[in-house]
Amino acid sequence: MGKSFLERLGDGPILCDGAMGTLLYSKGIFINRCYDELNLSQPELIGGIHADYVANGAEILETNTFGANSFRLARHGCQEKLADINRAGVELVRKAIKNNQVYAAGAVGPLGIRIEPLGKTSRDEARDAFRDQIRVLVDSGVDLLILETFGYLGELHQAILAARDVDPKIPVVAQVTIDEDGNCLDGSSPEHYGARLTEWGADVIGCNCSVGPVAMLDALERLRAATPKPLSAQPNAGIPRSVEGRNIYLCSPEYMASYARKFVGVGVTLVGGCCGTTPDHIRSMKSALRVGEARTTSFKVKTEVEEHAVEPTPLGQRSRVGARIASGEFLTLVEIVPPKGVNAEKEVEGARYLMSVGVDAINIPDSPRASARMSNQALCLLTQQQVGIETVLHYTCRDRNVLGIQSDLLGASAIGIRNLICITGDPPKMGNYPDATAVFDVDAIGLVNIVSNLNRGLDIGGNTIGTATQFTIAVGANPGAANLDEEIRRFEYKVEAGAEYAVTQPVFDLALLEEFLKRIEHCRVPVVAGIWPLSSARNAEFMRDELNISIPDAIYNRMARTTNADAARAEGVAVAREMLQAVRPMVQGTQLSAPFGRYSAAADVLEVLGSSDSACA
């Protein structure tokens, strides 16, 4: 070809191609298909699109391999074809290039899963997956790699490392996807991701997808001041609009062409398009770049001053709950469920009563069993304001993406909530709304990592948030889990992520609790045992058979022998008192449930702590 890609980049702006998926969809390929597999099953279709882009002036062709990694291919049962799909992707680009002075770029997208610290896939596993794909692309003869549409810097870092593992000299274009404010999906600002990607050795740094030309131009102006590296820009053809049920991109080729020159004016040297762009857009952009012999502008790079994480506030100073955990004092929590409406008078009065009998804090769950109730954060605030007792916010990952989670937690900190129990949460289809959808961007392990970062003054992108939060971090634990090995493994991850104590599912079987405590001895944090006063034999059946909580036959038979509702409730309290006495020497606290809002039952159970404490003194 003559000049290498990086040499050509130094001569002035170079034009990349546009969207692949947009054109495939327009040609009748449904979005549930594996677009990467079309390299094998419909090569003429893919090759024709490549040829159209070359004919309209593209100087870089990206392989149709954006999702051709093992994780994404597995969703379509195509993981065994990984090498064939990537190899065919390069061959189709090479065939379309023929004798033209066009560079073949291996397209590599995110894995489609969360990696640590936000997910259970390790960094090493992610790096291995990227390496497997990149090795095939490089061995097949690409001139450069375009790592594109990454929303999380940690994952992009692993892709860059994998590229360097395969070939330290292969040119790497590293592109993030951004929001309207120019920030990465993990919250990283242009100043932050510009500095990080420079540090990690990307040859070209830029943005693609998600936003149109205007927002991308704003981000690139800031990015230019953060890195001396060449910049790239591949925006969508505007924000898609729904027209008769289809997403339509409305930016004309002429409009995109005008912004191609504006990108070059702020220092961009690699220009192209993403979703919604077509060969017509690329032709217009090519003409605009020729007119006036467009040249990039030089900018002085500002060196980012890295703000380091702060030391978290000592646990004992964050809250009264934290102080009891830190000092080894026995902690008592009682659960109060939010009301199914706007009137929380019963719940607030229940909290007032429980405080009067010596309960340390109120734990407020988040829409238990995925039902629609008052926000537990709102009830926490009402309870703390009107009663003065501390609350523990039960926070789940079900309904929020990672940015929503971060916003919620910052808000909770601002209004004085200091205690969290971080859990994954029930899918909404388990509740009263079978058509409701869930998000589950992260699970409890990822959530603990997010909170730990906030306690160190950092957001999920590693950027400073100013004043650090001061949350105590609890997690859930299930001693009776069907797969105890998996439960222990996840517990280890939670502790590693920053969990400071654990609250168990209701305990009725002491042998299971003893075994669990023995198994976590190597990663032990204080454990608060869940205690549930059963209200009837039917309640016991429900917990045993539908919630899969282990209830020994002896306890079930005791409940079954009761003759009326009052006797059943009294027996349930008696069983709970016995359980609390038995677990007291093993654990650092208890969380009591109050079935059906019977807060007096919880207080009756707690009375046993007086004699238990004196016996242990």
Side-chain angles (χ1 to χ4, degrees):
M1 172 175 283
K3 291 184 177 182
S4 70
F5 166 71
L6 293 178
E7 288 172 336
R8 167 61 186 85
L9 200 63
D11 292 342
I14 186 169
L15 184 63
C16 195
D17 58 9
M20 174 62 74
T22 297
L23 296 179
L24 291 174
Y25 182 68
S26 72
K27 294 176 185 296
I29 306 297
F30 293 121
I31 58 175
N32 62 346
R33 285 287 300 274
C34 178
Y35 279 13
D36 310 280
E37 190 278 334
L38 297 173
N39 294 341
L40 301 177
S41 60
Q42 298 191 46
E44 298 83 4
L45 176 61
I46 303 301
I49 292 173
H50 288 322
D52 283 347
Y53 278 122
V54 173
N56 284 279
E59 297 175 80
I60 301 173
L61 283 186
E62 290 193 57
T63 57
N64 179 42
T65 56
F66 173 81
N69 62 69
S70 57
F71 287 96
R72 286 186 182 271
L73 291 177
R75 298 175 186 174
H76 300 278
C78 295
Q79 64 269 37
E80 298 302 322
K81 300 178 182 179
L82 183 149
D84 292 338
I85 288 171
N86 283 280
R87 190 179 302 112
V90 179
E91 290 171 355
L92 290 170
V93 164
R94 284 294 179 199
K95 184 177 179 180
I97 289 173
K98 297 181 180 177
N99 297 320
N100 294 287
Q101 296 295 303
V102 177
Y103 297 90
V108 177
L111 299 175
I113 45 90
R114 292 278 181 261
I115 71 170
E116 61 175 319
L118 299 180
K120 61 183 180 182
T121 302
S122 72
R123 295 182 182 91
D124 288 343
E125 290 171 320
R127 186 169 173 175
D128 289 344
F130 284 124
R131 190 188 296 115
D132 290 343
Q133 180 187 7
I134 290 170
R135 181 178 291 111
V136 180
L137 294 171
V138 171
D139 289 348
S140 300
V142 295
D143 300 304
L144 66 145
L145 296 169
I146 296 183
L147 314 178
E148 57 186 2
T149 324
F150 281 81
Y152 297 86
L153 286 187
E155 185 178 7
L156 181 50
H157 188 197
Q158 297 309 310
I160 294 172
L161 290 172
R164 296 307 182 209
D165 291 341
V166 173
D167 183 351
K169 295 182 179 180
I170 189 78
V172 172
V173 179
Q175 296 185 149
V176 299
T177 188
I178 58 174
D179 61 21
E180 291 291 331
D181 295 321
N183 297 326
C184 236
L185 302 187
D186 63 10
S188 300
S189 67
E191 293 78 13
H192 184 76
Y193 56 73
R196 292 290 75 76
L197 294 174
T198 301
E199 175 189 333
W200 296 335
D203 296 293
V204 181
I205 296 170
C207 308
N208 78 291
C209 203
S210 292
V211 298
V214 174
M216 191 166 287
L217 181 62
D218 292 340
L220 287 161
E221 288 175 336
R222 295 166 60 189
L223 184 59
R224 173 73 287 167
T227 179
K229 297 286 187 175
L231 299 185
S232 63
Q234 292 184 280
N236 289 346
I239 304 298
R241 304 295 174 84
S242 180
V243 178
E244 295 183 353
R246 295 183 63 186
N247 283 337
I248 305 296
Y249 293 86
L250 301 179
C251 286
S252 68
E254 294 74 22
Y255 181 81
M256 292 289 286
S258 70
Y259 267 88
R261 297 210 55 205
K262 291 176 182 177
F263 288 138
V264 171
V266 300
V268 172
T269 50
L270 190 160
V271 182
C274 204
C275 302
T277 55
T278 67
D280 289 340
H281 290 86
I282 297 304
R283 182 176 64 252
S284 293
M285 293 166 74
K286 181 71 171 182
S287 297
L289 293 179
R290 284 201 193 103
V291 175
E293 296 183 351
R295 290 290 182 266
T296 58
T297 302
S298 297
F299 287 84
K300 183 178 180 181
V301 177
K302 298 177 182 177
T303 301
E304 183 191 33
V305 178
E306 177 73 7
E307 297 206 39
H308 297 285
V310 299
E311 275 297 314
T313 300
L315 176 61
Q317 297 176 23
R318 293 183 218 158
S319 67
R320 291 192 292 276
V321 168
R324 292 189 75 83
I325 291 290
S327 66
E329 296 178 86
F330 197 80
L331 177 69
T332 56
L333 308 175
V334 174
E335 184 177 89
I336 291 184
V337 176
K340 292 182 177 179
V342 297
N343 186 349
E345 183 177 350
K346 176 184 175 183
E347 288 72 22
V348 169
E349 287 307 309
R352 197 184 312 278
Y353 164 72
L354 291 168
M355 184 174 73
S356 73
V357 298
V359 170
D360 295 316
I362 304 299
N363 171 41
I364 303 181
D366 181 12
S367 297
R369 301 296 295 163
S371 59
R373 292 176 179 268
M374 176 187 287
S375 153
N376 63 335
Q377 185 164 311
L379 184 56
C380 281
L381 180 60
L382 290 172
T383 300
Q384 292 189 168
Q385 286 180 337
Q386 297 183 26
V387 179
I389 191 171
E390 220 165 66
T391 60
V392 181
L393 179 67
H394 200 121
Y395 196 88
T396 73
C397 308
R398 177 185 57 243
D399 306 315
R400 309 156 181 93
N401 64 23
V402 290
L403 294 180
I405 286 172
Q406 182 171 265
S407 296
D408 271 359
L409 295 175
L410 292 173
S413 177
I415 61 176
I417 295 172
R418 294 288 178 265
N419 307 297
L420 301 176
I421 297 181
C422 301
I423 65 165
T424 301
D426 294 328
K429 287 179 172 54
M430 292 178 67
N432 300 326
Y433 300 91
D435 295 326
T437 57
V439 180
F440 291 121
D441 246 10
V442 294
D443 62 7
I445 299 166
L447 177 58
V448 173
N449 273 293
I450 291 173
V451 181
S452 297
N453 262 356
L454 293 176
N455 277 355
R456 296 164 59 235
L458 300 175
D459 67 12
I460 54 178
N463 305 296
T464 180
I465 59 171
T467 303
T469 57
Q470 299 183 42
F471 292 118
T472 67
I473 307 173
V475 293
N478 184 7
N483 186 344
L484 188 58
D485 289 340
E486 175 68 8
E487 182 72 12
I488 299 299
R489 187 182 71 85
R490 287 183 55 79
F491 189 83
E492 291 169 343
Y493 282 139
K494 292 174 185 178
V495 173
E496 182 181 348
E500 293 163 319
Y501 68 103
V503 179
T504 76
Q505 292 275 24
V507 175
F508 294 96
D509 190 331
L510 286 178
L512 292 179
L513 178 63
E514 289 170 344
E515 175 65 14
F516 176 77
L517 294 176
K518 181 180 177 181
R519 292 281 303 274
I520 65 168
E521 196 58 47
H522 63 289
C523 58
R524 180 71 180 264
V525 292
V527 172
V528 173
I531 299 292
W532 183 292
L534 293 166
S535 57
S536 64
R538 185 174 295 175
N539 180 215
E541 280 182 351
F542 171 75
M543 297 188 73
R544 182 188 65 185
D545 300 331
E546 298 188 33
L547 299 188
N548 295 316
I549 293 173
S550 177
I551 299 180
D553 290 342
I555 291 177
Y556 175 77
N557 291 336
R558 285 174 61 178
M559 298 302 300
R561 284 195 295 267
T562 57
T563 56
N564 56 57
D566 288 340
R569 286 194 291 269
E571 190 65 23
V573 168
V575 170
R577 288 165 65 97
E578 293 167 16
M579 294 305 303
L580 181 52
Q581 281 184 307
V583 304
R584 173 66 183 89
M586 308 178 197
V587 297
Q588 289 70 51
T590 184
Q591 176 187 277
L592 272 158
S593 296
F596 309 107
R598 297 189 180 97
Y599 307 118
S600 59
D604 289 345
V605 175
L606 285 174
E607 285 181 356
V608 78
L609 285 179
S611 59
S612 177
D613 282 345
S614 61
C616 295

